[in-house]
Amino acid sequence: MKTGLQYQVAPAAAKRKHTLVPSYSEDVQSTCTLTSTQVKMKSNGRSNNNNNSSSSSKKDDLVRYQRAIFTALFLGYACYTYNRKSVSYATPTLLASGLITTSNLGMIISSQNLAYAISKFLGGVLSDRVSAKVLFSLGLALSGGSTILFSRTEIPALMALLWFCNGFAQGAGWPACAKLLKKWFNPANFGTWWSVLTASSNVSGTLSPFIAAYIIINHGWSASLVLAGLVSLLMAGVTLITLVDDPTRVNLPDPTLSTQTSTSTPKEKKAESKDQNTTTSNNNMTVKELVTSPFLWVVSGCYLAVFCTKTALADWAQIYLMEELGRTQLQASSFTSAMETGGFFGGILAGILTDRLASKIRVRGNIRLMVASGFMLVCAVAVHVLRSFLTIHTSQIVVSGVGMVLGASMFGPISIYGIVASESFPAHLSGTAHAIVALAANVGAVAAGWPVSWVSRVWSWGGVLMVLQTLSAVSVVLILSTTSLHITRKAKMQ
């Protein structure tokens, strides 16, 4: 019995052992598998957290760089503008002292504008081949040096030569700005960034007339030019240190690459598809086809008209107000400052307004150009008011108010035409397109020099303002009568 009992228990125990061992093994394996999965999940979580943290850090660094670069460009281009206009602020004193005549002044202004027209075109080409940072800083330094040298001479021919050199150096500024904007900022807001940076010249133009007038009255015209030159040289050093040509050079993500979700209606999608087909067909556009594009010449003609008007009023309005309306130099400078203040708001408004309307409204013709035609209509009316309604008895507040309206109505289209030229053609030709319209604009600036001085001698200042009013009105007619030629697609959103 004892042996039998042992025989019966033993198999039961063996059976229990046999059944328990696999159960125990499965639990262990399950626990090990669970533990391994948890470790992997924790490891992946840490990896994802590290990636997210790294991505967030990169974005924060990108924002900091964007702020620093935009600030440097804004202040640097403001110095470019201060330098470029420094002689215009001194012209009443130069004329009153007999150092130059009206004819000499026209030659000096035209020499700068001619050089600026040439170098701005060349700068657009060079910006694709050399460092935009170096181009911007070098141009600012050279323009500052030529201004200082200008202040040390009283020979009209030498003044014209030095101011030609100044204009040639000035042409490096905006092409470098455009290049850096394209590299560092999202093209969806290109019009806004462009117009805000353009407004830097208005900030400079608002403050610098008062600074120049104070220094000229207390220390002479030469000291005013020396200050403008020294500020430019100092800022050139700052921009050379601060600016970076490309985000990849500092291991930052490309801000121009972004995905966009579409919320368009079927009708809008069909129109967008048509625009994309047009874009595809134009991707192989050649330089010859670009140059023969009627739309490019419409934009160029309008740009020429507004730039001639703006440059003429910036260079000659002080003299008109002092000779025809009996204003003091300080009052005349306040008119110039008011124009720049209006230009600040007009330029920014044009960029923001057209960015929003371009994505929401479809009209026959380019929506940005249609907005520009509205600005130019206001400009024509404001020039007419300046010519026909302002007298020596008109309040200075009213005179400055007309200046603000003029500034807003001129600088708005100036921003728009540059944006349209850059975005309306394939990416590989956008720089060339902008260089061509900028060349046309600077032809208008050249015409605002000696030719305007000739018109003033033959037909008086009233004749000059009549010509400017006519140019503004003709550009409105040109835009509204050529809508069938307009390119409406947005190349930057390809």
Side-chain angles (χ1 to χ4, degrees), residues 218-252:
N218 293 281
H219 304 285
W221 67 271
S222 180
S224 176
L225 268 65
V226 169
L227 177 63
L230 289 176
V231 168
S232 297
L233 287 172
L234 178 63
M235 195 63 208
V238 173
T239 56
L240 188 61
I241 296 171
T242 306
L243 297 178
V244 179
D245 286 316
D246 193 290
T248 58
R249 297 202 174 196
V250 286
N251 298 318
L252 292 175

mmCIF file of all heavy atoms in Angstrom, residues 218-252:
data_model
loop_
_atom_site.group_PDB
_atom_site.id
_atom_site.type_symbol
_atom_site.label_atom_id
_atom_site.label_comp_id
_atom_site.label_asym_id
_atom_site.label_seq_id
_atom_site.Cartn_x
_atom_site.Cartn_y
_atom_site.Cartn_z
ATOM 1 N N ASN A 218 22.826 124.974 -38.055
ATOM 2 C CA ASN A 218 23.758 125.242 -36.954
ATOM 3 C C ASN A 218 25.223 124.968 -37.287
ATOM 4 O O ASN A 218 26.107 125.581 -36.684
ATOM 5 C CB ASN A 218 23.362 124.402 -35.736
ATOM 6 C CG ASN A 218 22.032 124.836 -35.134
ATOM 7 O OD1 ASN A 218 21.966 125.821 -34.397
ATOM 8 N ND2 ASN A 218 20.970 124.110 -35.451
ATOM 9 N N HIS A 219 25.484 124.047 -38.228
ATOM 10 C CA HIS A 219 26.877 123.667 -38.488
ATOM 11 C C HIS A 219 27.265 123.687 -39.956
ATOM 12 O O HIS A 219 28.435 123.455 -40.277
ATOM 13 C CB HIS A 219 27.144 122.269 -37.913
ATOM 14 C CG HIS A 219 26.841 122.147 -36.451
ATOM 15 N ND1 HIS A 219 27.664 122.685 -35.470
ATOM 16 C CD2 HIS A 219 25.803 121.560 -35.797
ATOM 17 C CE1 HIS A 219 27.152 122.424 -34.272
ATOM 18 N NE2 HIS A 219 26.024 121.754 -34.440
ATOM 19 N N GLY A 220 26.320 123.935 -40.850
ATOM 20 C CA GLY A 220 26.634 124.005 -42.267
ATOM 21 C C GLY A 220 26.312 122.722 -43.028
ATOM 22 O O GLY A 220 26.168 121.643 -42.435
ATOM 23 N N TRP A 221 26.198 122.857 -44.361
ATOM 24 C CA TRP A 221 25.797 121.723 -45.194
ATOM 25 C C TRP A 221 26.842 120.602 -45.196
ATOM 26 O O TRP A 221 26.501 119.431 -45.273
ATOM 27 C CB TRP A 221 25.531 122.194 -46.630
ATOM 28 C CG TRP A 221 26.772 122.673 -47.360
ATOM 29 C CD1 TRP A 221 27.283 123.931 -47.373
ATOM 30 C CD2 TRP A 221 27.642 121.870 -48.160
ATOM 31 N NE1 TRP A 221 28.422 123.987 -48.129
ATOM 32 C CE2 TRP A 221 28.670 122.742 -48.640
ATOM 33 C CE3 TRP A 221 27.676 120.545 -48.531
ATOM 34 C CZ2 TRP A 221 29.700 122.288 -49.462
ATOM 35 C CZ3 TRP A 221 28.702 120.089 -49.354
ATOM 36 C CH2 TRP A 221 29.701 120.956 -49.817
ATOM 37 N N SER A 222 28.105 120.978 -45.085
ATOM 38 C CA SER A 222 29.169 119.982 -45.120
ATOM 39 C C SER A 222 29.070 119.021 -43.928
ATOM 40 O O SER A 222 29.231 117.802 -44.081
ATOM 41 C CB SER A 222 30.533 120.666 -45.120
ATOM 42 O OG SER A 222 31.568 119.723 -45.163
ATOM 43 N N ALA A 223 28.774 119.554 -42.745
ATOM 44 C CA ALA A 223 28.657 118.718 -41.550
ATOM 45 C C ALA A 223 27.495 117.737 -41.682
ATOM 46 O O ALA A 223 27.577 116.593 -41.215
ATOM 47 C CB ALA A 223 28.467 119.593 -40.314
ATOM 48 N N SER A 224 26.417 118.154 -42.348
ATOM 49 C CA SER A 224 25.271 117.280 -42.534
ATOM 50 C C SER A 224 25.648 116.060 -43.375
ATOM 51 O O SER A 224 25.262 114.929 -43.071
ATOM 52 C CB SER A 224 24.136 118.050 -43.215
ATOM 53 O OG SER A 224 23.041 117.211 -43.488
ATOM 54 N N LEU A 225 26.432 116.280 -44.421
ATOM 55 C CA LEU A 225 26.853 115.168 -45.277
ATOM 56 C C LEU A 225 27.851 114.253 -44.577
ATOM 57 O O LEU A 225 27.831 113.027 -44.766
ATOM 58 C CB LEU A 225 27.455 115.707 -46.578
ATOM 59 C CG LEU A 225 26.456 115.869 -47.740
ATOM 60 C CD1 LEU A 225 25.406 116.917 -47.419
ATOM 61 C CD2 LEU A 225 27.187 116.222 -49.030
ATOM 62 N N VAL A 226 28.740 114.841 -43.763
ATOM 63 C CA VAL A 226 29.705 114.027 -43.015
ATOM 64 C C VAL A 226 28.972 113.077 -42.070
ATOM 65 O O VAL A 226 29.328 111.894 -41.959
ATOM 66 C CB VAL A 226 30.690 114.921 -42.233
ATOM 67 C CG1 VAL A 226 31.510 114.090 -41.251
ATOM 68 C CG2 VAL A 226 31.622 115.652 -43.197
ATOM 69 N N LEU A 227 27.948 113.570 -41.393
ATOM 70 C CA LEU A 227 27.184 112.725 -40.478
ATOM 71 C C LEU A 227 26.531 111.567 -41.229
ATOM 72 O O LEU A 227 26.591 110.410 -40.779
ATOM 73 C CB LEU A 227 26.118 113.551 -39.764
ATOM 74 C CG LEU A 227 25.200 112.755 -38.824
ATOM 75 C CD1 LEU A 227 25.995 112.142 -37.680
ATOM 76 C CD2 LEU A 227 24.077 113.639 -38.277
ATOM 77 N N ALA A 228 25.917 111.868 -42.379
ATOM 78 C CA ALA A 228 25.265 110.817 -43.164
ATOM 79 C C ALA A 228 26.277 109.749 -43.594
ATOM 80 O O ALA A 228 25.995 108.548 -43.548
ATOM 81 C CB ALA A 228 24.585 111.417 -44.388
ATOM 82 N N GLY A 229 27.468 110.190 -43.989
ATOM 83 C CA GLY A 229 28.494 109.247 -44.408
ATOM 84 C C GLY A 229 29.007 108.384 -43.272
ATOM 85 O O GLY A 229 29.182 107.167 -43.422
ATOM 86 N N LEU A 230 29.227 108.982 -42.112
ATOM 87 C CA LEU A 230 29.738 108.227 -40.967
ATOM 88 C C LEU A 230 28.723 107.206 -40.463
ATOM 89 O O LEU A 230 29.087 106.076 -40.093
ATOM 90 C CB LEU A 230 30.113 109.194 -39.833
ATOM 91 C CG LEU A 230 31.353 110.067 -40.061
ATOM 92 C CD1 LEU A 230 31.554 111.037 -38.903
ATOM 93 C CD2 LEU A 230 32.598 109.186 -40.251
ATOM 94 N N VAL A 231 27.451 107.579 -40.427
ATOM 95 C CA VAL A 231 26.407 106.644 -40.002
ATOM 96 C C VAL A 231 26.367 105.440 -40.934
ATOM 97 O O VAL A 231 26.228 104.288 -40.493
ATOM 98 C CB VAL A 231 25.036 107.356 -39.966
ATOM 99 C CG1 VAL A 231 23.906 106.339 -39.809
ATOM 100 C CG2 VAL A 231 24.987 108.359 -38.821
ATOM 101 N N SER A 232 26.521 105.682 -42.232
ATOM 102 C CA SER A 232 26.504 104.588 -43.202
ATOM 103 C C SER A 232 27.705 103.659 -43.016
ATOM 104 O O SER A 232 27.569 102.427 -43.090
ATOM 105 C CB SER A 232 26.489 105.147 -44.624
ATOM 106 O OG SER A 232 25.306 105.883 -44.855
ATOM 107 N N LEU A 233 28.877 104.227 -42.776
ATOM 108 C CA LEU A 233 30.068 103.404 -42.563
ATOM 109 C C LEU A 233 29.932 102.532 -41.317
ATOM 110 O O LEU A 233 30.292 101.354 -41.321
ATOM 111 C CB LEU A 233 31.301 104.306 -42.439
ATOM 112 C CG LEU A 233 31.793 104.966 -43.732
ATOM 113 C CD1 LEU A 233 32.893 105.987 -43.417
ATOM 114 C CD2 LEU A 233 32.325 103.920 -44.702
ATOM 115 N N LEU A 234 29.393 103.115 -40.256
ATOM 116 C CA LEU A 234 29.193 102.367 -39.021
ATOM 117 C C LEU A 234 28.195 101.227 -39.220
ATOM 118 O O LEU A 234 28.423 100.089 -38.792
ATOM 119 C CB LEU A 234 28.707 103.301 -37.910
ATOM 120 C CG LEU A 234 28.410 102.661 -36.556
ATOM 121 C CD1 LEU A 234 29.671 102.047 -35.964
ATOM 122 C CD2 LEU A 234 27.820 103.696 -35.588
ATOM 123 N N MET A 235 27.100 101.520 -39.908
ATOM 124 C CA MET A 235 26.074 100.497 -40.119
ATOM 125 C C MET A 235 26.572 99.402 -41.048
ATOM 126 O O MET A 235 26.153 98.231 -40.918
ATOM 127 C CB MET A 235 24.808 101.156 -40.700
ATOM 128 C CG MET A 235 23.575 100.265 -40.631
ATOM 129 S SD MET A 235 23.125 99.897 -38.908
ATOM 130 C CE MET A 235 22.313 98.311 -39.106
ATOM 131 N N ALA A 236 27.456 99.735 -41.968
ATOM 132 C CA ALA A 236 28.026 98.717 -42.857
ATOM 133 C C ALA A 236 28.764 97.651 -42.057
ATOM 134 O O ALA A 236 28.679 96.452 -42.358
ATOM 135 C CB ALA A 236 28.958 99.366 -43.872
ATOM 136 N N GLY A 237 29.488 98.076 -41.036
ATOM 137 C CA GLY A 237 30.179 97.123 -40.165
ATOM 138 C C GLY A 237 29.206 96.242 -39.399
ATOM 139 O O GLY A 237 29.431 95.031 -39.252
ATOM 140 N N VAL A 238 28.117 96.829 -38.933
ATOM 141 C CA VAL A 238 27.106 96.064 -38.191
ATOM 142 C C VAL A 238 26.468 94.998 -39.078
ATOM 143 O O VAL A 238 26.308 93.841 -38.676
ATOM 144 C CB VAL A 238 26.030 97.008 -37.619
ATOM 145 C CG1 VAL A 238 24.883 96.207 -36.995
ATOM 146 C CG2 VAL A 238 26.637 97.957 -36.592
ATOM 147 N N THR A 239 26.077 95.373 -40.292
ATOM 148 C CA THR A 239 25.419 94.411 -41.184
ATOM 149 C C THR A 239 26.374 93.305 -41.624
ATOM 150 O O THR A 239 25.960 92.157 -41.816
ATOM 151 C CB THR A 239 24.853 95.119 -42.425
ATOM 152 O OG1 THR A 239 25.902 95.841 -43.097
ATOM 153 C CG2 THR A 239 23.752 96.092 -42.029
ATOM 154 N N LEU A 240 27.646 93.627 -41.782
ATOM 155 C CA LEU A 240 28.610 92.607 -42.178
ATOM 156 C C LEU A 240 28.721 91.514 -41.110
ATOM 157 O O LEU A 240 28.935 90.339 -41.415
ATOM 158 C CB LEU A 240 29.980 93.247 -42.415
ATOM 159 C CG LEU A 240 31.058 92.349 -43.029
ATOM 160 C CD1 LEU A 240 30.636 91.864 -44.408
ATOM 161 C CD2 LEU A 240 32.389 93.091 -43.107
ATOM 162 N N ILE A 241 28.556 91.904 -39.844
ATOM 163 C CA ILE A 241 28.621 90.939 -38.745
ATOM 164 C C ILE A 241 27.289 90.214 -38.551
ATOM 165 O O ILE A 241 27.253 89.009 -38.267
ATOM 166 C CB ILE A 241 29.016 91.656 -37.432
ATOM 167 C CG1 ILE A 241 30.435 92.245 -37.549
ATOM 168 C CG2 ILE A 241 28.927 90.713 -36.249
ATOM 169 C CD1 ILE A 241 30.811 93.151 -36.400
ATOM 170 N N THR A 242 26.184 90.905 -38.726
ATOM 171 C CA THR A 242 24.864 90.375 -38.367
ATOM 172 C C THR A 242 24.239 89.503 -39.453
ATOM 173 O O THR A 242 23.629 88.468 -39.152
ATOM 174 C CB THR A 242 23.901 91.541 -38.043
ATOM 175 O OG1 THR A 242 24.489 92.371 -37.040
ATOM 176 C CG2 THR A 242 22.556 91.024 -37.566
ATOM 177 N N LEU A 243 24.343 89.903 -40.711
ATOM 178 C CA LEU A 243 23.632 89.210 -41.783
ATOM 179 C C LEU A 243 24.226 87.833 -42.076
ATOM 180 O O LEU A 243 25.431 87.624 -41.944
ATOM 181 C CB LEU A 243 23.642 90.061 -43.061
ATOM 182 C CG LEU A 243 22.926 91.412 -42.989
ATOM 183 C CD1 LEU A 243 23.056 92.154 -44.313
ATOM 184 C CD2 LEU A 243 21.447 91.229 -42.627
ATOM 185 N N VAL A 244 23.364 86.919 -42.465
ATOM 186 C CA VAL A 244 23.760 85.569 -42.885
ATOM 187 C C VAL A 244 23.071 85.299 -44.218
ATOM 188 O O VAL A 244 21.871 85.544 -44.364
ATOM 189 C CB VAL A 244 23.345 84.508 -41.846
ATOM 190 C CG1 VAL A 244 23.745 83.117 -42.316
ATOM 191 C CG2 VAL A 244 23.952 84.814 -40.497
ATOM 192 N N ASP A 245 23.797 84.789 -45.186
ATOM 193 C CA ASP A 245 23.258 84.632 -46.532
ATOM 194 C C ASP A 245 22.133 83.612 -46.632
ATOM 195 O O ASP A 245 21.185 83.802 -47.383
ATOM 196 C CB ASP A 245 24.376 84.223 -47.501
ATOM 197 C CG ASP A 245 25.298 85.384 -47.825
ATOM 198 O OD1 ASP A 245 24.791 86.486 -48.074
ATOM 199 O OD2 ASP A 245 26.528 85.195 -47.816
ATOM 200 N N ASP A 246 22.230 82.528 -45.870
ATOM 201 C CA ASP A 246 21.291 81.427 -46.050
ATOM 202 C C ASP A 246 21.100 80.695 -44.717
ATOM 203 O O ASP A 246 22.068 80.514 -43.981
ATOM 204 C CB ASP A 246 21.848 80.456 -47.102
ATOM 205 C CG ASP A 246 20.806 79.464 -47.568
ATOM 206 O OD1 ASP A 246 20.445 78.588 -46.765
ATOM 207 O OD2 ASP A 246 20.365 79.561 -48.722
ATOM 208 N N PRO A 247 19.864 80.283 -44.387
ATOM 209 C CA PRO A 247 19.637 79.558 -43.122
ATOM 210 C C PRO A 247 20.469 78.286 -42.993
ATOM 211 O O PRO A 247 20.850 77.904 -41.889
ATOM 212 C CB PRO A 247 18.140 79.226 -43.177
ATOM 213 C CG PRO A 247 17.550 80.245 -44.083
ATOM 214 C CD PRO A 247 18.597 80.536 -45.104
ATOM 215 N N THR A 248 20.748 77.618 -44.114
ATOM 216 C CA THR A 248 21.513 76.371 -44.044
ATOM 217 C C THR A 248 22.941 76.596 -43.564
ATOM 218 O O THR A 248 23.586 75.669 -43.076
ATOM 219 C CB THR A 248 21.549 75.695 -45.427
ATOM 220 O OG1 THR A 248 22.138 76.604 -46.393
ATOM 221 C CG2 THR A 248 20.148 75.334 -45.888
ATOM 222 N N ARG A 249 23.438 77.814 -43.679
ATOM 223 C CA ARG A 249 24.802 78.103 -43.238
ATOM 224 C C ARG A 249 24.930 78.069 -41.723
ATOM 225 O O ARG A 249 26.038 77.978 -41.191
ATOM 226 C CB ARG A 249 25.256 79.463 -43.767
ATOM 227 C CG ARG A 249 25.311 79.524 -45.282
ATOM 228 C CD ARG A 249 26.217 80.613 -45.775
ATOM 229 N NE ARG A 249 26.353 80.551 -47.228
ATOM 230 C CZ ARG A 249 27.301 81.164 -47.916
ATOM 231 N NH1 ARG A 249 28.213 81.867 -47.270
ATOM 232 N NH2 ARG A 249 27.344 81.076 -49.229
ATOM 233 N N VAL A 250 23.816 78.199 -41.036
ATOM 234 C CA VAL A 250 23.825 78.117 -39.575
ATOM 235 C C VAL A 250 22.975 76.932 -39.102
ATOM 236 O O VAL A 250 22.439 76.934 -38.003
ATOM 237 C CB VAL A 250 23.331 79.440 -38.937
ATOM 238 C CG1 VAL A 250 24.386 80.520 -39.043
ATOM 239 C CG2 VAL A 250 22.024 79.910 -39.572
ATOM 240 N N ASN A 251 22.827 75.930 -39.988
ATOM 241 C CA ASN A 251 22.123 74.681 -39.667
ATOM 242 C C ASN A 251 20.683 74.903 -39.211
ATOM 243 O O ASN A 251 20.221 74.298 -38.243
ATOM 244 C CB ASN A 251 22.893 73.904 -38.598
ATOM 245 C CG ASN A 251 24.275 73.491 -39.065
ATOM 246 O OD1 ASN A 251 24.438 73.059 -40.202
ATOM 247 N ND2 ASN A 251 25.258 73.629 -38.186
ATOM 248 N N LEU A 252 19.974 75.775 -39.920
ATOM 249 C CA LEU A 252 18.572 76.043 -39.615
ATOM 250 C C LEU A 252 17.688 75.562 -40.758
ATOM 251 O O LEU A 252 18.134 75.482 -41.904
ATOM 252 C CB LEU A 252 18.362 77.542 -39.383
ATOM 253 C CG LEU A 252 19.009 78.117 -38.122
ATOM 254 C CD1 LEU A 252 18.842 79.629 -38.081
ATOM 255 C CD2 LEU A 252 18.413 77.493 -36.869
#
